[in-house]
């Protein structure tokens, strides 16, 4: 398997990007995951688990976290936090209809084929299983958004373009290093529906302009495939 984009920055991501952050959950990532996933049991697959930093939250909800990621470098840090496998999110190494819950946290902009990832999430879920997506807000985060002043986010041309870019308002983040895809809100939500997932609940995080949009969807019980 070829090296992944995050391999080159895995140590920086773990030690500086994550290590330099406090535990106050300023943009509501952990809150959104807790609220939309909720308590449960059994295996919860995290697609694009990275260094595994969300495993503790999944465990605190009574679920057993396992992760899959394309980046061997990121998984090197994740192995101490949860069981992991290296794999392509568009071809998950998981049996169809075998899981009660799947999550994807802050990764959809890293995946140009995210609609295919959603189809894979639907495939591996059992009927009635839940999928939780927590991602950067498509309306207020992207190469078109300047968040240098959190009190006055500037939205420039480009929101309607589904494009990959390294353009960023900061050189302290991930986008300027590995690039990111953009999914306008209708394209993102329609991809859930096209995958056969039923949308249930939504939440936003970050103040005063949201930086996170989270979605809970479910595989309908009548879908056995």
């Amino acid at each position: 398997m070829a090296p992944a984009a995050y391999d080159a920055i895995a140590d920086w991501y773990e030690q500086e990007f994550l290590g330099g952050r406090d535990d106050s959950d300023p943009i509501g990532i952990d809150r959104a995951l807790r609220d939309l996933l909720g308590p449960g049991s059994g295996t919860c697959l995290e697609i694009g688990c990275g260094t595994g930093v969300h495993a503790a939250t999944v465990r605190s909800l009574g679920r057993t976290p396992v992760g899959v990621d394309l980046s061997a470098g990121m998984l090197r840090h994740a192995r101490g936090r949860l069981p992991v496998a290296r794999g392509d999110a568009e071809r998950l190494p998981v049996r169809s209809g075998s899981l009660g819950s799947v999550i994807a946290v802050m990764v959809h902009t890293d995946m140009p084929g995210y609609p295919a990832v959603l189809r894979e999430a639907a495939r591996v879920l059992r009927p009635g299983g839940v999928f939780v997506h927590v991602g950067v807000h498509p309306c207020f985060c992207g190469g078109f958004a300047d968040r240098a002043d959190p009190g006055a986010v500037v939205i420039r041309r480009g929101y309607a373009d589904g494009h990959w870019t390294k353009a960023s308002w900061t050189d302290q983040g991930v986008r300027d290093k590995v690039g990111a895809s953009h999914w306008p809100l209708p394209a993102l939500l329609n991809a859930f529906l096209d995958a056969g997932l039923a949308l249930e609940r939504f939440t936003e995080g970050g103040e005063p302009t949201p930086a996170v949009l989270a979605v809970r969807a479910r595989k309908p019980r009548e879908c056995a495939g």
Side-chain angles (χ1 to χ4, degrees):
M1 195 177 291
Y6 272 78
D7 287 346
I9 66 166
D11 292 342
W12 168 85
Y13 187 91
E14 170 73 8
Q15 296 161 12
E16 298 184 40
F17 184 68
L18 294 179
R21 295 189 169 193
D22 59 32
D23 296 323
S24 63
D25 194 29
I27 59 175
I29 296 171
D30 188 69
R31 176 183 58 80
L33 181 57
R34 289 181 183 279
D35 289 351
L36 296 186
L37 182 59
S41 60
T43 299
C44 177
L45 174 67
E46 182 175 359
I47 299 174
C49 66
T51 62
V53 295
H54 305 295
T57 297
V58 173
R59 227 175 251 117
S60 74
L61 294 169
R63 303 173 187 269
T64 302
V66 299
V68 63
D69 200 284
L70 191 61
S71 170
M74 299 289 270
L75 291 178
R76 180 162 38 85
H77 294 287
R79 286 191 177 93
R81 295 174 173 137
L82 75 169
V84 296
R86 189 180 180 212
D88 187 340
E90 296 184 33
R91 293 182 293 275
L92 293 172
V94 180
R95 189 175 71 252
S96 297
S98 61
L99 297 173
S101 57
V102 177
I103 63 174
V105 184
M106 304 304 287
V107 295
H108 83 282
T109 53
D110 295 318
M111 300 174 176
Y114 198 60
V117 175
L118 292 174
R119 291 194 295 271
E120 277 292 273
R123 178 185 67 80
V124 303
L125 282 171
R126 67 175 67 105
V130 65
F131 173 71
V132 173
H133 159 104
V134 182
V136 296
H137 203 300
C139 299
F140 306 110
C141 296
F144 57 88
D146 184 342
R147 300 183 66 91
D149 178 358
V153 177
V154 178
I155 304 298
R156 300 189 174 92
R157 290 181 180 273
Y159 165 78
D161 301 328
H163 59 280
W164 179 93
T165 180
K166 281 191 172 184
S168 177
W169 59 272
T170 176
D171 62 1
Q172 303 301 307
V174 172
R175 184 184 303 272
D176 68 301
K177 296 171 180 61
V178 297
S181 297
H182 170 62
W183 297 94
L185 185 60
L188 179 62
L189 297 183
N190 284 335
F192 281 79
L193 300 177
D194 292 343
L197 294 165
L199 299 172
E200 282 194 345
R201 292 192 70 81
F202 308 90
T203 190
E204 295 174 314
E207 295 290 345
T209 304
V212 167
L213 174 69
V215 179
R216 183 174 75 208
R218 197 173 298 271
K219 183 172 182 176
R221 292 189 181 276
E222 61 270 22
C223 292

